[in-house]
Amino acid sequence: MDRNYWDKKSKTYNTEIFDVNKNDKTRIIESCINEVASPKKTVADFGCAIGKWLPILSPKFKSVLAVDYSLPLLQEAEKKYKALTNVQYKNIDLMRNMKEAYAFDAVLCVNAILTDEYAKRAIFFNNLAKSIKKNGHLILVIPSLESALYTEFMIDDCNRKRDRTSSEKIKSTSAKTDNSRLHLGIVALDKVPHKHYLKEELIITLGSYGFKTEKVEKVEYTWATEIANAPKSLPAPYPWDWVVVAKKVK
Ligand SMILES: C[S@@+](CC[C@H](N)C(=O)[O-])C[C@H]1O[C@@H](n2cnc3c(N)ncnc32)[C@H](O)[C@@H]1O
């Protein structure tokens, strides 16, 4: 999943890419944003893609910097949100050491740190850390490894219990092709490796970049987002990503 992968999604983004904003059933991410927002503060959206969070961020903050390494996606965002006059756009690769020096009050980063390469994730986290001022906040949304494994359990459980004569086998929405790096949290979704995090791993990782985790919550989705032919009766808990609010303390 490199820049080229994302560049190619610019015209099909809405149909192909999972919309976290739209699927956040309880609006937990927006309430995390509200906790740190102020019309006196600056914010950046790291990995903004076509800008789905910009209409939420723009009225709550003094200024917004929308950052993405895919120029076609960034241009789509800029075209769509011309009316948001406090938003600026910047084409930066956050998996390279940033030349720019920023000191944002807050950064939102939603499902952008997905690479399976440890070194690239380390640079991304480092860029996040150095762009946020002391006592500023990071709101990070990231795939949950617990949820990925729990979903596999649910699929298996349904298939064991289903009435074999009448009901169709339950299937995941994405083919899990290569599980050889599952111990590292790497889950291949439709042949694309995605890093997933354990809650404790996330807290420790953020700590090593100078962040104190203030809260970790579930961004809950419906079963239909994970299971193609999900039976209506499937119970809670639902599949989730993690949302973390972390304070820059060092
Ligand atoms: C799954 S999309 C999420 C988009 C958006 N945050 C949202 O919630 O709708 C991931 C985005 O992160 C961007 N991204 C991934 N790696 C990046 C990097 N190294 N530098 C800047 N943007 C990056 C991609 O180009 C893509 O637009």
Side-chain angles (χ1 to χ4, degrees):
M1 217 185 328
D2 54 10
R3 187 200 302 245
N4 195 28
Y5 170 93
W6 290 109
D7 286 352
K8 286 193 193 135
K9 301 288 178 202
S10 70
K11 295 295 166 217
T12 53
Y13 190 93
N14 274 323
T15 48
E16 281 191 51
I17 305 300
F18 181 68
D19 187 339
V20 174
N21 187 350
K22 192 163 140 204
N23 285 285
D24 174 6
K25 294 199 302 173
T26 63
R27 305 307 298 160
I28 180 75
I29 302 172
E30 200 169 343
S31 69
C32 292
I33 293 171
N34 289 341
E35 278 175 31
V36 307
S38 154
K40 293 184 182 146
K41 289 185 180 174
T42 58
V43 69
D45 182 358
F46 275 11
C48 65
I50 60 168
K52 291 185 185 267
W53 295 95
L54 300 178
I56 291 175
L57 296 173
S58 167
K60 299 181 199 288
F61 287 87
K62 182 171 70 186
S63 65
V64 185
L65 189 70
V67 176
D68 207 286
Y69 72 165
S70 166
L71 192 56
L73 291 181
L74 204 59
Q75 285 167 338
E76 285 292 311
E78 194 163 4
K79 209 162 55 183
K80 185 152 187 208
Y81 295 111
K82 273 199 183 89
L84 305 177
T85 52
N86 66 343
V87 181
Q88 294 203 311
Y89 299 84
K90 188 92 185 167
N91 187 214
I92 301 177
D93 183 351
L94 295 160
M95 291 186 294
R96 285 170 177 246
N97 289 314
M98 268 168 78
K99 294 184 293 290
E100 298 81 355
Y102 293 114
F104 298 108
D105 293 297
V107 171
L108 173 72
C109 182
V110 179
N111 279 356
I113 308 180
L114 302 172
T115 177
D116 59 332
E117 292 181 50
Y118 181 93
K120 288 188 175 175
R121 291 197 304 276
I123 298 174
F124 204 131
F125 277 114
N126 203 38
N127 284 330
L128 273 172
K130 71 180 191 197
S131 305
I132 300 175
K133 63 169 70 155
K134 194 167 177 202
N135 295 323
H137 283 92
L138 168 65
I139 301 165
L140 179 69
V141 177
I142 210 146
S144 155
L145 183 57
E146 295 89 335
S147 177
L149 295 176
Y150 166 58
T151 300
E152 290 306 307
F153 155 76
M154 200 53 111
I155 291 171
D156 183 60
D157 194 52
C158 282
N159 283 327
R160 285 175 195 281
K161 288 176 184 157
R162 92 197 142 98
D163 171 358
R164 270 154 225 284
T165 53
S166 63
S167 57
E168 176 192 8
K169 206 169 177 200
I170 308 299
K171 290 189 289 283
S172 171
T173 50
S174 54
K176 310 282 191 306
T177 38
D178 172 13
N179 285 333
S180 59
R181 288 186 295 159
L182 196 57
H183 62 294
L184 298 173
I186 311 295
V187 182
L189 307 172
D190 292 332
K191 297 192 180 153
V192 183
H194 287 67
K195 170 65 180 159
H196 289 58
Y197 281 83
L198 297 169
K199 182 176 172 178
E200 287 75 9
E201 175 189 9
L202 207 42
I203 294 169
I204 291 169
T205 301
L206 288 171
S208 69
Y209 292 96
F211 290 100
K212 182 177 187 310
T213 295
E214 292 186 336
K215 74 174 185 187
V216 186
E217 302 278 351
K218 289 179 175 179
V219 185
E220 282 190 310
Y221 306 120
T222 63
W223 277 116
T225 64
E226 297 298 315
I227 301 180
N229 44 354
K232 294 225 167 10
S233 57
L234 274 193
Y238 299 106
W240 70 93
D241 281 336
W242 293 122
V243 58
V244 184
V245 179
K247 192 183 210 174
K248 183 81 193 310
V249 288
K250 283 185 196 147

